[in-house]
Amino acid sequence: MTNQSKDPALKLVNVTVRLGGDYILKDVNLEISHGETLVIIGPSGSGKTVLLKTMAGIYKPEKGHVYCEGEDWQNLKSNEKIKLARKIGMQFQKSALFDSLDAFENVAFPLREHTKMTEAEIELKVKECLSSVGLLDAIHLMPYELSGGMQQRLGIARSLALNPEIIFYDDPTAGLDPINTDTLLELIAQLKSHFHSTIIMVTHSLNCAYKMADRIVLVGNKQVVLAGSVEETQKSTHPLVRQFVAGELEGPLKWD
Ligand SMILES: Nc1ncnc2c1ncn2[C@@H]1O[C@H](COP(=O)(O)OP(=O)(O)O)[C@@H](O)[C@H]1O
Ligand SMILES: [Mg+2]
């Protein structure tokens, strides 16, 4: 699904987020275009997940505005919020599958919640999603019967169910071996070119960032630093970016 509107897919204007009394992000400004793949890197505990959830309208900024497809999350009534949220797919850390539901029901869940599709339409859509991630054979398996890589792919199948325009991935390759990591990244890239979606992906791995990103941002010391393209990131003279890329403990960037 493509969006022809002139608004950026996402726009953050002077966004400050405070959780449990602590400032997590301060004065973040960022714009993401339709069809772009933005990768978020940074030390653990730096606020990558918080940034992702703020973009998705889950966390409210204390100050500033988050526009999704031109709409300010904070100004929306709850029915409008639900409508906007339908344009978004999310795969959170550890894939957050429903342990008591099989693969079919995991993917069917958002369809049952958010659409009035008939059972036959749901079955067709679920099979399409599972087949796009190579899991059609696992349709009646429970999450615990799947390998780590398969669980991540099932999470992706579920995030695709509502044909999202923007997909958020929170460290999708965490805990995967190198082969499964490459397979999963390849799959995300294929699905993106098929659905023309905008992708915002958090990763702890610079390699993943370099493989996937149109642009890279670094979260650290409560700031969000736009490092630019892969090449610009590698050549960046910004002290936080330089330290992270070099993987050095000593420097201005605070590690957990
Ligand atoms: N709901 C919350 N309430 C209070 N503090 C939170 C909440 N979610 C995250 N934090 C804190 O925000 C900081 C950033 O967390 P997070 O975004 O999860 O880091 P990461 O970069 O590893 O994804 C951490 O110090 C974490 O403890
Ligand atoms: Mg996180």
Side-chain angles (χ1 to χ4, degrees):
M1 218 193 284
T2 48
N3 186 306
Q4 303 300 328
S5 84
K6 285 194 294 301
D7 292 309
L10 283 158
K11 185 174 176 177
L12 284 75
V13 182
N14 297 328
V15 170
T16 292
V17 180
R18 191 151 74 146
L19 291 172
D22 294 325
Y23 284 102
I24 313 295
L25 302 166
K26 275 189 174 164
D27 266 329
V28 178
N29 288 287
L30 193 62
E31 210 172 296
I32 300 146
S33 319
H34 290 280
E36 190 175 16
T37 297
L38 184 90
V39 176
I40 301 168
I41 57 174
S44 76
S46 61
K48 302 181 297 296
T49 298
V50 170
L51 177 62
L52 208 64
K53 290 187 174 176
T54 305
M55 288 176 171
I58 295 167
Y59 288 145
K60 271 195 203 140
E62 181 184 79
K63 278 189 262 169
H65 298 275
V66 180
Y67 300 93
C68 180
E69 306 277 355
E71 314 236 38
D72 186 342
W73 279 117
Q74 272 182 279
N75 288 344
L76 298 179
K77 298 191 189 76
S78 62
N79 61 327
E80 297 167 328
K81 244 187 186 174
I82 292 168
K83 217 170 135 198
L84 186 57
R86 276 199 53 182
K87 296 186 180 177
I88 286 176
M90 273 183 259
Q91 197 202 11
F92 288 132
Q93 252 161 328
K94 308 217 191 334
S95 65
L97 298 167
F98 300 111
D99 294 332
S100 56
L101 302 180
D102 67 8
F104 180 96
E105 285 301 330
N106 262 282
V107 180
F109 190 85
L111 299 171
R112 297 196 199 287
E113 282 285 286
H114 296 290
T115 73
K116 296 192 168 66
M117 287 166 86
T118 64
E119 200 50 37
E121 288 165 339
I122 287 176
E123 185 174 338
L124 205 65
K125 185 69 194 173
V126 170
K127 285 185 172 165
E128 181 195 318
C129 292
L130 285 174
S131 132
S132 71
V133 300
L135 281 181
L136 204 48
D137 290 344
I139 191 160
H140 294 306
L141 295 184
M142 303 299 283
Y144 64 82
E145 294 176 289
L146 305 175
S147 69
M150 289 164 91
Q151 288 180 7
Q152 291 292 32
R153 274 149 55 204
L154 179 55
I156 291 176
R158 191 178 59 185
S159 74
L160 293 174
L162 296 169
N163 299 325
E165 291 176 22
I166 305 176
I167 310 182
F168 294 95
Y169 292 107
D170 197 350
D171 219 343
T173 65
L176 296 186
D177 61 56
I179 305 256
N180 272 307
T181 295
D182 278 350
T183 310
L184 194 79
L185 293 179
E186 185 61 35
L187 173 68
I188 291 173
Q190 270 173 20
L191 294 171
K192 181 209 159 91
S193 69
H194 183 72
F195 292 105
H196 305 289
S197 36
T198 305
I199 291 182
I200 323 284
M201 182 170 127
V202 166
T203 182
H204 67 285
S205 149
L206 266 176
N207 263 339
C208 292
Y210 292 159
K211 272 187 196 150
M212 301 298 285
D214 293 319
R215 283 192 307 162
I216 295 175
V217 295
L218 172 85
V219 182
N221 299 13
K222 316 218 185 309
Q223 302 171 50
V224 172
V225 182
L226 180 61
S229 66
V230 170
E231 204 188 337
E232 285 164 347
T233 303
Q234 288 164 338
K235 289 183 179 160
S236 176
T237 55
H238 193 291
L240 297 186
V241 178
R242 277 185 54 177
Q243 189 191 341
F244 190 81
V245 167
E248 284 161 0
L249 276 176
E250 299 296 321
L253 190 59
K254 289 184 197 75
W255 300 80
D256 232 12

